[in-house]
PDB file of all heavy atoms in Angstrom:
ATOM      1  N   ALA A   1       0.841  -1.213   0.025  1.00 81.00           N
ATOM      2  CA  ALA A   1      -0.008  -0.024  -0.039  1.00 81.00           C
ATOM      3  C   ALA A   1       0.846   1.268  -0.047  1.00 81.00           C
ATOM      4  O   ALA A   1       0.421   2.325  -0.441  1.00 81.00           O
ATOM      5  CB  ALA A   1      -0.959  -0.006   1.143  1.00 81.00           C
ATOM      6  N   LEU A   2       2.116   1.110   0.533  1.00 80.00           N
ATOM      7  CA  LEU A   2       3.015   2.272   0.578  1.00 80.00           C
ATOM      8  C   LEU A   2       4.088   2.223  -0.588  1.00 80.00           C
ATOM      9  O   LEU A   2       5.059   2.922  -0.565  1.00 80.00           O
ATOM     10  CB  LEU A   2       3.721   2.368   1.850  1.00 80.00           C
ATOM     11  CG  LEU A   2       2.780   2.816   3.020  1.00 80.00           C
ATOM     12  CD1 LEU A   2       3.328   2.452   4.336  1.00 80.00           C
ATOM     13  CD2 LEU A   2       2.645   4.278   2.940  1.00 80.00           C
ATOM     14  N   GLY A   3       3.756   1.424  -1.612  1.00 82.00           N
ATOM     15  CA  GLY A   3       4.686   1.341  -2.760  1.00 82.00           C
ATOM     16  C   GLY A   3       5.939   0.647  -2.550  1.00 82.00           C
ATOM     17  O   GLY A   3       6.965   0.959  -3.265  1.00 82.00           O
ATOM     18  N   LEU A   4       6.032  -0.287  -1.561  1.00 85.00           N
ATOM     19  CA  LEU A   4       7.236  -0.993  -1.290  1.00 85.00           C
ATOM     20  C   LEU A   4       7.223  -2.423  -1.576  1.00 85.00           C
ATOM     21  O   LEU A   4       7.963  -3.229  -0.966  1.00 85.00           O
ATOM     22  CB  LEU A   4       7.589  -0.777   0.239  1.00 85.00           C
ATOM     23  CG  LEU A   4       7.946   0.648   0.630  1.00 85.00           C
ATOM     24  CD1 LEU A   4       8.079   0.769   2.160  1.00 85.00           C
ATOM     25  CD2 LEU A   4       9.199   1.096  -0.025  1.00 85.00           C
ATOM     26  N   ALA A   5       6.372  -2.841  -2.610  1.00 88.00           N
ATOM     27  CA  ALA A   5       6.309  -4.224  -2.906  1.00 88.00           C
ATOM     28  C   ALA A   5       7.683  -4.856  -3.331  1.00 88.00           C
ATOM     29  O   ALA A   5       7.932  -6.021  -3.132  1.00 88.00           O
ATOM     30  CB  ALA A   5       5.328  -4.458  -4.078  1.00 88.00           C
ATOM     31  N   HIS A   6       8.503  -3.943  -3.886  1.00 89.00           N
ATOM     32  CA  HIS A   6       9.841  -4.397  -4.416  1.00 89.00           C
ATOM     33  C   HIS A   6      10.910  -4.441  -3.283  1.00 89.00           C
ATOM     34  O   HIS A   6      12.063  -4.720  -3.571  1.00 89.00           O
ATOM     35  CB  HIS A   6      10.338  -3.471  -5.527  1.00 89.00           C
ATOM     36  CG  HIS A   6      10.506  -2.082  -5.124  1.00 89.00           C
ATOM     37  ND1 HIS A   6       9.523  -1.318  -4.498  1.00 89.00           N
ATOM     38  CD2 HIS A   6      11.537  -1.233  -5.210  1.00 89.00           C
ATOM     39  CE1 HIS A   6       9.919  -0.137  -4.248  1.00 89.00           C
ATOM     40  NE2 HIS A   6      11.113   0.029  -4.717  1.00 89.00           N
ATOM     41  N   ARG A   7      10.519  -4.030  -2.044  1.00 87.00           N
ATOM     42  CA  ARG A   7      11.452  -3.946  -0.979  1.00 87.00           C
ATOM     43  C   ARG A   7      11.197  -4.907   0.168  1.00 87.00           C
ATOM     44  O   ARG A   7      11.728  -4.811   1.240  1.00 87.00           O
ATOM     45  CB  ARG A   7      11.520  -2.487  -0.438  1.00 87.00           C
ATOM     46  CG  ARG A   7      12.136  -1.520  -1.337  1.00 87.00           C
ATOM     47  CD  ARG A   7      13.637  -1.695  -1.354  1.00 87.00           C
ATOM     48  NE  ARG A   7      14.363  -0.687  -2.107  1.00 87.00           N
ATOM     49  CZ  ARG A   7      14.939  -0.914  -3.262  1.00 87.00           C
ATOM     50  NH1 ARG A   7      14.901  -2.107  -3.799  1.00 87.00           N
ATOM     51  NH2 ARG A   7      15.622   0.077  -3.814  1.00 87.00           N
ATOM     52  N   LEU A   8      10.237  -5.875   0.026  1.00 90.00           N
ATOM     53  CA  LEU A   8       9.817  -6.791   1.067  1.00 90.00           C
ATOM     54  C   LEU A   8      10.980  -7.476   1.724  1.00 90.00           C
ATOM     55  O   LEU A   8      10.974  -7.678   2.934  1.00 90.00           O
ATOM     56  CB  LEU A   8       8.832  -7.826   0.539  1.00 90.00           C
ATOM     57  CG  LEU A   8       7.496  -7.301  -0.104  1.00 90.00           C
ATOM     58  CD1 LEU A   8       6.631  -8.495  -0.523  1.00 90.00           C
ATOM     59  CD2 LEU A   8       6.759  -6.368   0.863  1.00 90.00           C
ATOM     60  N   ASN A   9      11.995  -7.874   0.991  1.00 92.00           N
ATOM     61  CA  ASN A   9      12.991  -8.752   1.376  1.00 92.00           C
ATOM     62  C   ASN A   9      14.359  -7.996   1.647  1.00 92.00           C
ATOM     63  O   ASN A   9      15.422  -8.585   1.676  1.00 92.00           O
ATOM     64  CB  ASN A   9      13.247  -9.985   0.607  1.00 92.00           C
ATOM     65  CG  ASN A   9      12.021 -10.880   0.499  1.00 92.00           C
ATOM     66  OD1 ASN A   9      11.492 -11.237   1.600  1.00 92.00           O
ATOM     67  ND2 ASN A   9      11.461 -11.138  -0.704  1.00 92.00           N
ATOM     68  N   HIS A  10      14.257  -6.693   1.629  1.00 93.00           N
ATOM     69  CA  HIS A  10      15.423  -5.803   1.873  1.00 93.00           C
ATOM     70  C   HIS A  10      15.616  -5.423   3.291  1.00 93.00           C
ATOM     71  O   HIS A  10      14.692  -5.169   4.033  1.00 93.00           O
ATOM     72  CB  HIS A  10      15.336  -4.583   0.994  1.00 93.00           C
ATOM     73  CG  HIS A  10      15.532  -4.817  -0.455  1.00 93.00           C
ATOM     74  ND1 HIS A  10      14.564  -5.585  -1.251  1.00 93.00           N
ATOM     75  CD2 HIS A  10      16.533  -4.488  -1.355  1.00 93.00           C
ATOM     76  CE1 HIS A  10      15.032  -5.571  -2.490  1.00 93.00           C
ATOM     77  NE2 HIS A  10      16.205  -4.981  -2.601  1.00 93.00           N
ATOM     78  N   LEU A  11      16.871  -5.415   3.728  1.00 92.00           N
ATOM     79  CA  LEU A  11      17.222  -4.836   5.029  1.00 92.00           C
ATOM     80  C   LEU A  11      17.117  -3.329   4.954  1.00 92.00           C
ATOM     81  O   LEU A  11      17.241  -2.716   3.887  1.00 92.00           O
ATOM     82  CB  LEU A  11      18.691  -5.319   5.446  1.00 92.00           C
ATOM     83  CG  LEU A  11      18.908  -6.794   5.600  1.00 92.00           C
ATOM     84  CD1 LEU A  11      20.478  -7.012   5.687  1.00 92.00           C
ATOM     85  CD2 LEU A  11      18.201  -7.221   6.856  1.00 92.00           C
ATOM     86  N   PRO A  12      17.001  -2.650   6.133  1.00 90.00           N
ATOM     87  CA  PRO A  12      16.924  -1.202   6.178  1.00 90.00           C
ATOM     88  C   PRO A  12      18.140  -0.561   5.512  1.00 90.00           C
ATOM     89  O   PRO A  12      18.009   0.462   4.839  1.00 90.00           O
ATOM     90  CB  PRO A  12      16.896  -0.915   7.713  1.00 90.00           C
ATOM     91  CG  PRO A  12      16.198  -2.071   8.256  1.00 90.00           C
ATOM     92  CD  PRO A  12      16.634  -3.252   7.511  1.00 90.00           C
ATOM     93  N   SER A  13      19.328  -1.197   5.653  1.00 90.00           N
ATOM     94  CA  SER A  13      20.521  -0.633   5.026  1.00 90.00           C
ATOM     95  C   SER A  13      20.504  -0.707   3.523  1.00 90.00           C
ATOM     96  O   SER A  13      21.298  -0.005   2.919  1.00 90.00           O
ATOM     97  CB  SER A  13      21.789  -1.410   5.607  1.00 90.00           C
ATOM     98  OG  SER A  13      21.665  -2.786   5.243  1.00 90.00           O
ATOM     99  N   GLN A  14      19.586  -1.425   2.994  1.00 92.00           N
ATOM    100  CA  GLN A  14      19.500  -1.578   1.529  1.00 92.00           C
ATOM    101  C   GLN A  14      18.449  -0.651   0.944  1.00 92.00           C
ATOM    102  O   GLN A  14      18.227  -0.728  -0.196  1.00 92.00           O
ATOM    103  CB  GLN A  14      19.224  -3.045   1.141  1.00 92.00           C
ATOM    104  CG  GLN A  14      20.310  -3.998   1.587  1.00 92.00           C
ATOM    105  CD  GLN A  14      19.853  -5.490   1.436  1.00 92.00           C
ATOM    106  OE1 GLN A  14      18.801  -5.843   1.791  1.00 92.00           O
ATOM    107  NE2 GLN A  14      20.823  -6.268   0.905  1.00 92.00           N
ATOM    108  N   MET A  15      17.810   0.153   1.805  1.00 89.00           N
ATOM    109  CA  MET A  15      16.693   1.040   1.363  1.00 89.00           C
ATOM    110  C   MET A  15      17.120   2.489   1.450  1.00 89.00           C
ATOM    111  O   MET A  15      18.014   2.849   2.314  1.00 89.00           O
ATOM    112  CB  MET A  15      15.424   0.823   2.181  1.00 89.00           C
ATOM    113  CG  MET A  15      14.915  -0.647   1.978  1.00 89.00           C
ATOM    114  SD  MET A  15      13.272  -0.818   2.823  1.00 89.00           S
ATOM    115  CE  MET A  15      13.765  -1.173   4.472  1.00 89.00           C
ATOM    116  N   SER A  16      16.519   3.342   0.745  1.00 87.00           N
ATOM    117  CA  SER A  16      16.715   4.810   0.792  1.00 87.00           C
ATOM    118  C   SER A  16      16.091   5.316   2.069  1.00 87.00           C
ATOM    119  O   SER A  16      15.219   4.709   2.701  1.00 87.00           O
ATOM    120  CB  SER A  16      16.127   5.546  -0.438  1.00 87.00           C
ATOM    121  OG  SER A  16      14.702   5.484  -0.385  1.00 87.00           O
ATOM    122  N   GLY A  17      16.360   6.658   2.348  1.00 82.00           N
ATOM    123  CA  GLY A  17      15.794   7.245   3.558  1.00 82.00           C
ATOM    124  C   GLY A  17      14.267   7.282   3.526  1.00 82.00           C
ATOM    125  O   GLY A  17      13.601   6.963   4.477  1.00 82.00           O
ATOM    126  N   GLY A  18      13.782   7.567   2.296  1.00 82.00           N
ATOM    127  CA  GLY A  18      12.303   7.656   2.132  1.00 82.00           C
ATOM    128  C   GLY A  18      11.654   6.352   2.286  1.00 82.00           C
ATOM    129  O   GLY A  18      10.517   6.159   2.806  1.00 82.00           O
ATOM    130  N   GLU A  19      12.324   5.323   1.752  1.00 88.00           N
ATOM    131  CA  GLU A  19      11.824   3.960   1.758  1.00 88.00           C
ATOM    132  C   GLU A  19      11.751   3.472   3.236  1.00 88.00           C
ATOM    133  O   GLU A  19      10.784   2.810   3.613  1.00 88.00           O
ATOM    134  CB  GLU A  19      12.595   3.021   0.920  1.00 88.00           C
ATOM    135  CG  GLU A  19      12.344   3.249  -0.540  1.00 88.00           C
ATOM    136  CD  GLU A  19      13.366   2.485  -1.447  1.00 88.00           C
ATOM    137  OE1 GLU A  19      14.425   2.066  -0.957  1.00 88.00           O
ATOM    138  OE2 GLU A  19      13.049   2.223  -2.673  1.00 88.00           O
ATOM    139  N   ARG A  20      12.829   3.692   3.987  1.00 87.00           N
ATOM    140  CA  ARG A  20      12.898   3.359   5.368  1.00 87.00           C
ATOM    141  C   ARG A  20      11.723   3.987   6.158  1.00 87.00           C
ATOM    142  O   ARG A  20      11.144   3.374   7.021  1.00 87.00           O
ATOM    143  CB  ARG A  20      14.218   3.723   5.991  1.00 87.00           C
ATOM    144  CG  ARG A  20      15.401   2.827   5.544  1.00 87.00           C
ATOM    145  CD  ARG A  20      16.614   2.957   6.381  1.00 87.00           C
ATOM    146  NE  ARG A  20      17.305   4.210   6.159  1.00 87.00           N
ATOM    147  CZ  ARG A  20      18.369   4.401   5.341  1.00 87.00           C
ATOM    148  NH1 ARG A  20      18.771   3.329   4.608  1.00 87.00           N
ATOM    149  NH2 ARG A  20      18.947   5.562   5.204  1.00 87.00           N
ATOM    150  N   GLN A  21      11.477   5.263   5.860  1.00 84.00           N
ATOM    151  CA  GLN A  21      10.388   5.963   6.576  1.00 84.00           C
ATOM    152  C   GLN A  21       8.998   5.406   6.215  1.00 84.00           C
ATOM    153  O   GLN A  21       8.182   5.321   7.023  1.00 84.00           O
ATOM    154  CB  GLN A  21      10.581   7.506   6.334  1.00 84.00           C
ATOM    155  CG  GLN A  21       9.928   8.341   7.430  1.00 84.00           C
ATOM    156  CD  GLN A  21      10.548   8.178   8.747  1.00 84.00           C
ATOM    157  OE1 GLN A  21      11.323   7.201   9.042  1.00 84.00           O
ATOM    158  NE2 GLN A  21      10.292   9.072   9.717  1.00 84.00           N
ATOM    159  N   ARG A  22       8.875   5.106   4.933  1.00 84.00           N
ATOM    160  CA  ARG A  22       7.620   4.421   4.523  1.00 84.00           C
ATOM    161  C   ARG A  22       7.453   3.021   5.217  1.00 84.00           C
ATOM    162  O   ARG A  22       6.339   2.657   5.636  1.00 84.00           O
ATOM    163  CB  ARG A  22       7.558   4.259   2.998  1.00 84.00           C
ATOM    164  CG  ARG A  22       7.203   5.494   2.228  1.00 84.00           C
ATOM    165  CD  ARG A  22       6.809   5.125   0.800  1.00 84.00           C
ATOM    166  NE  ARG A  22       6.501   6.372   0.018  1.00 84.00           N
ATOM    167  CZ  ARG A  22       7.419   7.025  -0.597  1.00 84.00           C
ATOM    168  NH1 ARG A  22       8.662   6.609  -0.625  1.00 84.00           N
ATOM    169  NH2 ARG A  22       7.105   8.138  -1.266  1.00 84.00           N
ATOM    170  N   CYS A  23       8.528   2.327   5.340  1.00 89.00           N
ATOM    171  CA  CYS A  23       8.514   1.080   6.052  1.00 89.00           C
ATOM    172  C   CYS A  23       8.104   1.290   7.520  1.00 89.00           C
ATOM    173  O   CYS A  23       7.264   0.515   8.068  1.00 89.00           O
ATOM    174  CB  CYS A  23       9.879   0.401   6.017  1.00 89.00           C
ATOM    175  SG  CYS A  23       9.996  -1.313   6.578  1.00 89.00           S
ATOM    176  N   ALA A  24       8.555   2.310   8.154  1.00 89.00           N
ATOM    177  CA  ALA A  24       8.180   2.687   9.519  1.00 89.00           C
ATOM    178  C   ALA A  24       6.722   3.005   9.657  1.00 89.00           C
ATOM    179  O   ALA A  24       6.034   2.663  10.597  1.00 89.00           O
ATOM    180  CB  ALA A  24       9.096   3.831  10.012  1.00 89.00           C
ATOM    181  N   ILE A  25       6.207   3.696   8.605  1.00 85.00           N
ATOM    182  CA  ILE A  25       4.755   4.013   8.529  1.00 85.00           C
ATOM    183  C   ILE A  25       4.002   2.753   8.426  1.00 85.00           C
ATOM    184  O   ILE A  25       2.990   2.582   9.100  1.00 85.00           O
ATOM    185  CB  ILE A  25       4.437   4.996   7.402  1.00 85.00           C
ATOM    186  CG1 ILE A  25       5.071   6.375   7.717  1.00 85.00           C
ATOM    187  CG2 ILE A  25       3.008   5.156   7.145  1.00 85.00           C
ATOM    188  CD1 ILE A  25       5.085   7.324   6.518  1.00 85.00           C
ATOM    189  N   ALA A  26       4.425   1.826   7.554  1.00 88.00           N
ATOM    190  CA  ALA A  26       3.683   0.549   7.343  1.00 88.00           C
ATOM    191  C   ALA A  26       3.683  -0.164   8.710  1.00 88.00           C
ATOM    192  O   ALA A  26       2.654  -0.807   9.076  1.00 88.00           O
ATOM    193  CB  ALA A  26       4.440  -0.264   6.312  1.00 88.00           C
ATOM    194  N   ARG A  27       4.789  -0.186   9.461  1.00 88.00           N
ATOM    195  CA  ARG A  27       4.802  -0.910  10.728  1.00 88.00           C
ATOM    196  C   ARG A  27       3.844  -0.218  11.696  1.00 88.00           C
ATOM    197  O   ARG A  27       3.143  -0.889  12.509  1.00 88.00           O
ATOM    198  CB  ARG A  27       6.229  -0.810  11.279  1.00 88.00           C
ATOM    199  CG  ARG A  27       6.415  -1.493  12.623  1.00 88.00           C
ATOM    200  CD  ARG A  27       7.813  -1.358  13.158  1.00 88.00           C
ATOM    201  NE  ARG A  27       8.262   0.062  13.273  1.00 88.00           N
ATOM    202  CZ  ARG A  27       9.449   0.453  13.613  1.00 88.00           C
ATOM    203  NH1 ARG A  27      10.419  -0.465  13.747  1.00 88.00           N
ATOM    204  NH2 ARG A  27       9.774   1.687  13.652  1.00 88.00           N
ATOM    205  N   ALA A  28       3.675   1.087  11.664  1.00 86.00           N
ATOM    206  CA  ALA A  28       2.811   1.775  12.512  1.00 86.00           C
ATOM    207  C   ALA A  28       1.340   1.480  12.202  1.00 86.00           C
ATOM    208  O   ALA A  28       0.427   1.529  13.121  1.00 86.00           O
ATOM    209  CB  ALA A  28       2.997   3.276  12.513  1.00 86.00           C
ATOM    210  N   MET A  29       1.103   1.294  10.895  1.00 83.00           N
ATOM    211  CA  MET A  29      -0.255   1.144  10.402  1.00 83.00           C
ATOM    212  C   MET A  29      -0.791  -0.325  10.405  1.00 83.00           C
ATOM    213  O   MET A  29      -1.983  -0.584  10.306  1.00 83.00           O
ATOM    214  CB  MET A  29      -0.318   1.637   8.962  1.00 83.00           C
ATOM    215  CG  MET A  29      -0.354   3.169   8.777  1.00 83.00           C
ATOM    216  SD  MET A  29      -1.971   3.821   9.361  1.00 83.00           S
ATOM    217  CE  MET A  29      -1.854   5.520   8.617  1.00 83.00           C
ATOM    218  N   VAL A  30       0.159  -1.265  10.493  1.00 86.00           N
ATOM    219  CA  VAL A  30      -0.217  -2.702  10.248  1.00 86.00           C
ATOM    220  C   VAL A  30      -1.229  -3.234  11.251  1.00 86.00           C
ATOM    221  O   VAL A  30      -2.035  -4.142  10.965  1.00 86.00           O
ATOM    222  CB  VAL A  30       1.025  -3.543  10.214  1.00 86.00           C
ATOM    223  CG1 VAL A  30       1.638  -3.791  11.602  1.00 86.00           C
ATOM    224  CG2 VAL A  30       0.772  -4.886   9.509  1.00 86.00           C
ATOM    225  N   THR A  31      -1.260  -2.694  12.407  1.00 84.00           N
ATOM    226  CA  THR A  31      -2.217  -3.117  13.472  1.00 84.00           C
ATOM    227  C   THR A  31      -3.520  -2.415  13.344  1.00 84.00           C
ATOM    228  O   THR A  31      -4.465  -2.579  14.162  1.00 84.00           O
ATOM    229  CB  THR A  31      -1.642  -2.825  14.914  1.00 84.00           C
ATOM    230  OG1 THR A  31      -1.367  -1.431  15.052  1.00 84.00           O
ATOM    231  CG2 THR A  31      -0.398  -3.618  15.182  1.00 84.00           C
ATOM    232  N   LYS A  32      -3.744  -1.488  12.320  1.00 85.00           N
ATOM    233  CA  LYS A  32      -4.893  -0.731  12.173  1.00 85.00           C
ATOM    234  C   LYS A  32      -5.253   0.087  13.470  1.00 85.00           C
ATOM    235  O   LYS A  32      -6.353  -0.174  13.992  1.00 85.00           O
ATOM    236  CB  LYS A  32      -6.074  -1.542  11.666  1.00 85.00           C
ATOM    237  CG  LYS A  32      -5.843  -2.174  10.266  1.00 85.00           C
ATOM    238  CD  LYS A  32      -7.095  -2.737   9.661  1.00 85.00           C
ATOM    239  CE  LYS A  32      -6.964  -2.970   8.213  1.00 85.00           C
ATOM    240  NZ  LYS A  32      -5.885  -3.857   7.761  1.00 85.00           N
ATOM    241  N   PRO A  33      -4.352   0.850  13.919  1.00 87.00           N
ATOM    242  CA  PRO A  33      -4.541   1.578  15.185  1.00 87.00           C
ATOM    243  C   PRO A  33      -5.640   2.629  15.035  1.00 87.00           C
ATOM    244  O   PRO A  33      -6.009   3.090  13.924  1.00 87.00           O
ATOM    245  CB  PRO A  33      -3.188   2.188  15.496  1.00 87.00           C
ATOM    246  CG  PRO A  33      -2.638   2.438  14.105  1.00 87.00           C
ATOM    247  CD  PRO A  33      -3.111   1.326  13.288  1.00 87.00           C
TER     248      PRO A  33
END
């Protein structure tokens, strides 16, 4: 949903700053808070 389908199996060190932050947003959203 955050456009990171191509980054599922990447470590944070393998992602750009924006991708890491989107990943953090996905983590915050995954529980549907």
Side-chain angles (χ1 to χ4, degrees):
L2 285 160
L4 292 173
H6 61 305
R7 289 287 187 250
L8 300 182
N9 298 309
H10 286 67
L11 295 168
S13 61
Q14 298 170 316
M15 294 188 278
S16 70
E19 287 170 341
R20 287 194 287 266
Q21 206 59 346
R22 281 197 183 87
C23 189
I25 291 167
R27 181 182 56 187
M29 285 285 194
V30 76
T31 58
K32 293 191 166 59

